Amino acid sequence: MLAPKERKIFCLNNIADAGLAKFRKGYSITENIDEAAGILVRSADMKTMDFHEGLRAIARAGAGVNNIPIDKCSERGIVVFNTPGANANSVKELVIAGLLLASRDIYGGISWIKNNSDNEDITKLAEKAKKNFSGHEIKGKTLGVIGLGAIGVQVANAAISLGMQVLGYDPYLSLKSAWMLSPMVKHADTPEEVYSASDFITIHVPAMDSTRHMINADAISKMKSGIKIMNFARDVLVDEEALKDAMTSGHVKAYVSDFPNTMSVNLPNAIILPHLGASTEEAEENCAIMAALQLQDYLDNGNITNSVNFPETNAGTCGAEARVAILHRNIPNMLSGITSFFGSNGLNIENLINRARGSYAYTLVDISHKMPDDTTERLREINGVLRVRRVKERSQGW
């Protein structure tokens, strides 16, 4: 029996050992990015990077992929993966901490203790000072959750269990999220419903042109006076200039964010954390494991799970003589061109899966016969084909 193909992986950031251990025998970690079939990355900025011809996939150990040049990768036929939900519990727990930080002046109380730690009468003074840091319970208050993806759903459910009223808004609610969401969560038809009814608002949407500065002066004006806002998604979702005015006037009572920048760290009464959302050992391991397994399944079998630029495709393991993966544009006559090629070359198709996503598509073909040596080159000549990969061949090892 032939040995499995050897493949090299480059880690652009430190990746948890629990993830690296998931690679099968034959995989190795390389320090030379130009010989890597796949890259594992967390937060490193890849936007200005050049990619060598042999790079086939990038797996982000995390949900956000704004550090990766998606358009460039798509045109080069490089599949980009992320790990949605792997760090959801970690972020959810920090959001709950943010709720308490916003509702009760825990931060102010801790700061007072530190500033008076040398005072011999600290116990007596603390009893007098504590009234300056009183707050409110969250039970019975209304939490508005904008974005009900993997994290938003968990936050909403946790808030329900803490006795809060929860109002959720997500026009793109997935079936999976809907099944997971507590039936006690009320659904809003517009963001304005959330703004006007909530005592706390937490946002959990991706950073896109359509969501940039979604919390702006107009949105804030529709919120209750004394509103408390939490942002553990992306800093660009909030217009912090508008937020500064609202916090100075007292209309916004508290802002808890996980994204320090020159503006946010100087906002009055804001609590800014050093991007701790996924900074738990468990989250880092979960993300690393998911990223590694998805990357390996694509390189070994051609299957795509949780890609942000190409469609979900799963043909299982290949039992035929060979498997070919074709990344191409989503244009007319592509599939007929591909099948005609195999037919005209006497290559019987045992199984074919074709999926599309926006401007791009993906076709996996299992064939019964050994492929001619120039199969890859000739398939690339078909108009619209971006990349062709001989995933598996019985004669060359699996």
Side-chain angles (χ1 to χ4, degrees):
M1 181 176 180
L2 294 172
K5 289 182 179 179
E6 293 187 357
R7 294 189 168 98
K8 296 183 183 296
I9 304 297
F10 183 85
C11 297
L12 203 53
N13 295 107
N14 290 328
I15 302 297
D17 290 340
L20 301 182
K22 292 297 180 179
F23 286 114
R24 63 162 172 78
K25 184 179 180 181
Y27 276 78
S28 60
I29 305 301
T30 178
E31 295 185 0
N32 181 4
I33 194 171
D34 290 333
E35 64 178 13
I39 291 176
L40 286 169
V41 62
R42 291 176 61 199
S43 58
D45 190 349
M46 304 183 70
K47 291 179 181 176
T48 60
M49 289 180 61
D50 291 323
F51 303 123
H52 73 97
E53 193 64 30
L55 180 65
R56 298 166 186 169
I58 298 169
R60 158 83 162 98
V65 291
N66 57 328
N67 58 322
I68 302 171
I70 303 300
D71 291 342
K72 182 196 294 187
C73 290
S74 300
E75 286 298 307
R76 294 280 299 275
I78 299 171
V79 180
V80 179
F81 299 92
N82 68 345
T83 57
N87 60 11
N89 185 71
S90 176
V91 178
K92 174 207 74 177
E93 290 184 0
L94 196 63
V95 173
I96 298 303
L99 267 171
L100 298 173
L101 288 169
S103 187
R104 305 179 67 170
D105 192 6
I106 299 168
Y107 178 79
I110 292 172
S111 297
W112 184 91
I113 290 293
K114 285 187 174 294
N115 292 334
N116 292 273
S117 59
D118 294 334
N119 195 308
E120 293 182 357
D121 294 324
I122 184 69
T123 302
K124 185 182 296 184
L125 290 173
E127 286 300 315
K128 293 181 180 180
K130 67 181 182 182
K131 64 179 181 293
N132 298 318
F133 312 112
S134 61
H136 298 276
E137 297 179 12
I138 62 174
K139 183 178 180 180
K141 306 298 189 301
T142 297
L143 172 66
V145 182
I146 299 177
L148 292 167
I151 296 172
V153 164
Q154 289 201 29
V155 169
N157 291 347
I160 288 290
S161 69
L162 290 170
M164 300 188 77
Q165 305 293 319
V166 179
L167 185 61
Y169 172 75
D170 191 334
Y172 308 107
L173 182 67
S174 70
L175 181 61
K176 180 180 179 181
S177 292
W179 276 107
M180 295 173 63
L181 192 63
S182 167
M184 296 179 67
V185 175
K186 298 179 181 178
H187 297 269
D189 293 324
T190 65
E192 287 72 22
E193 288 183 51
V194 177
Y195 299 154
S196 62
S198 301
D199 302 299
F200 300 82
I201 289 176
T202 181
I203 45 179
H204 300 284
V205 300
M208 304 182 294
D209 290 342
S210 60
T211 59
R212 180 180 176 83
H213 288 179
M214 63 179 295
I215 305 298
N216 52 30
D218 181 62
I220 292 171
S221 71
K222 296 178 173 66
M223 298 177 188
K224 288 182 179 181
S225 179
I227 186 69
K228 304 171 186 72
I229 300 171
M230 292 169 294
N231 179 12
F232 290 83
R234 286 290 182 269
D235 57 351
V236 297
L237 302 177
V238 177
D239 181 349
E240 292 177 343
E241 287 284 358
L243 185 63
K244 179 180 179 181
D245 293 338
M247 296 187 77
T248 300
S249 71
H251 185 78
V252 175
K253 186 171 183 180
Y255 178 60
V256 185
S257 171
D258 204 22
F259 306 102
N261 57 54
T262 53
M263 170 63 76
S264 67
V265 296
N266 289 301
L267 290 170
N269 299 320
I271 299 174
I272 311 299
L273 306 176
H275 203 182
L276 297 177
S279 293
T280 65
E281 183 176 330
E282 293 85 352
E284 291 182 7
E285 289 188 352
N286 289 341
C287 288
I289 290 170
M290 185 183 291
L293 291 176
Q294 290 172 174
L295 182 57
Q296 179 174 268
D297 193 25
Y298 175 67
L299 294 176
D300 283 356
N301 301 302
N303 298 323
I304 294 179
T305 304
N306 291 326
S307 169
V308 299
N309 59 342
F310 284 95
E312 299 270 319
T313 309
N314 193 326
T317 56
C318 180
E321 176 64 30
R323 173 172 292 176
V324 184
I326 307 166
L327 298 149
H328 54 88
R329 301 191 191 283
N330 184 20
I331 56 177
N333 300 318
M334 278 300 314
L335 190 55
S336 62
I338 292 169
T339 55
S340 294
F341 168 84
F342 287 104
S344 63
N345 284 276
L347 298 171
N348 182 56
I349 296 176
E350 285 196 11
N351 185 42
L352 182 148
I353 297 180
N354 173 260
R355 298 284 186 269
R357 177 175 181 171
S359 301
Y360 300 97
Y362 184 54
T363 302
L364 273 180
V365 185
D366 289 352
I367 58 176
S368 304
H369 304 88
K370 184 179 184 300
M371 292 183 290
D373 292 340
D374 62 350
T375 296
T376 298
E377 290 72 18
R378 292 170 63 192
L379 279 168
R380 286 195 189 115
E381 294 175 357
I382 299 174
N383 181 46
V385 169
L386 299 168
R387 187 169 199 154
V388 181
R389 186 164 68 91
R390 301 166 79 123
V391 179
K392 284 189 172 183
E393 294 177 78
R394 193 180 301 275
S395 59
Q396 295 183 12
W398 299 103

